[in-house]
Amino acid sequence: MRLQLVARLWLGAIVGALALSTAPGRAQAQSRDDSHPSNLTAHVGTGYGQYADTDHVFVETPFIGGTVSNPTAGWSVSGQYLVDVISAASVDVVSTASQNWREVRQEGVVEASYKPHTFGVQASGRVSDEPDYLSWSAAGAVTQDLLDKNVTWLLGYAHEHDIAGRTGTPFSVFANVLDRNAMDASLTVVLSPTTIASFIGDAIFENGDQSKPYRYIPLFSPGTDVPRGAPVDVVNSLRTSVRPLEQLPLSRQRYALTGRLAHRYDRATLRLDERLYVDTWLMKATTTDARYLFDLSRRVELGPHARLHAQTSVNFWQRAYVFGPGSQVPALRAGDRELGPLVSVTGGWTIRVGLGAAASPTSWVLGFDLNATSTQFLDDLYLARRISGLAGVTIETDL
């Protein structure tokens, strides 16, 4: 669901900025560690994000999270809670004769890790709830430092269970069930005191029905010329009266390989990511991501973010599925344009400001993120281009 995608994009942007950041103002807190009577540390943060696009989809996402850890003992526990409020009058909603669609999603995440020396374990759990969708997942990983912590490996596994239904209909009456088993392995190498490289491999095995319960697929008579990006009224004037629900394959295997390079300059940090993807639906994709934050002062850091994503379509993708006399409805049919060929370009900016006096018992960091994305759908009905914006503000503190 796009609702989940938007929230994860927003949180991913924030987490990426935090991971890259040197957190202005935290040096004050670090300078107090020697005199602090407790080994416990706490970090809390809250934020708010908004998403909007030219397809009339709007999402508001407030969230809150925190971490408690004991660096000396090597353990940490964290939690996060968010709410998505979505309002949509997109072309997909309009094409089903609906005027608009509103929904609220809630998600909670709990994570824990224990690494007293060079070997450690991690565990996490997540629950996400919508009026017509329920999802939960559990994950675990083991990690170890080698060669005086210059090399770190990690092996992880996660299981996710999703149930998609229809609003107002019990899952016992109608439900599409999807199970995911994900495995990942990573290797992080310290190349120099200022440079780190990581290599990450992911494999995801999906079994179940991913078809959208509300998505109907227009069918056309043989020889009908349906232009790319044809609007709803043109599609309705050309299609046949037959309009079946979407039907996707009942299994999918996904594989991805990611390389990451992070380098700290005297007054700036650079992070580069490259991800290659392929799956058994024959989709291929490449994603390049770059972030650069420079220190404007001891308390302020800011910098740009750029991302390029390109993908081919799945092997059963068609702009216009054909149905005529003596023929059968196509067994596999998709209306999700994210399964078609597309190119997406993102540009953004991050600002992080350290607040509070040096003598303050806590340090505060205020962050702003703004990203704009232009997506070209190369072979799709209803929409040929979408422009979207993702903006957010966060405030966090160390205790």
Side-chain angles (χ1 to χ4, degrees), residues 198-204 253-260 272-279 283-289 307-312:
S198 298
F199 305 92
I200 306 155
D202 296 283
I204 302 175
Q253 298 175 16
R254 306 168 180 256
Y255 304 95
L257 180 64
T258 303
R260 175 174 298 161
L272 302 174
D273 291 76
E274 174 61 32
R275 180 177 183 264
L276 301 176
Y277 169 90
V278 66
D279 64 33
M283 175 183 284
K284 302 177 181 66
T286 174
T287 306
T288 305
D289 191 279
R307 181 179 182 269
L308 173 64
H309 174 81
Q311 68 180 50
T312 64

Side-chain angles (χ1 to χ4, degrees), residues 2 5 9 51 92 228 252 275 277 282-288 307-314 317 335-346 373-381 383-386 388:
R2 181 186 286 184
L5 176 62
L9 284 174
Y51 170 92
D92 297 307
R228 168 177 169 258
R252 187 181 192 182
R275 180 177 183 264
Y277 169 90
L282 300 189
M283 175 183 284
K284 302 177 181 66
T286 174
T287 306
T288 305
R307 181 179 182 269
L308 173 64
H309 174 81
Q311 68 180 50
T312 64
S313 67
V314 297
W317 177 263
D336 183 357
R337 60 183 55 85
E338 306 295 337
L339 295 178
L342 61 84
V343 176
S344 178
V345 179
T346 299
T373 301
S374 175
T375 303
Q376 297 286 338
F377 300 103
L378 306 180
D379 188 27
D380 190 47
L381 296 176
L383 201 62
R385 184 185 184 190
R386 182 181 68 211
S388 61

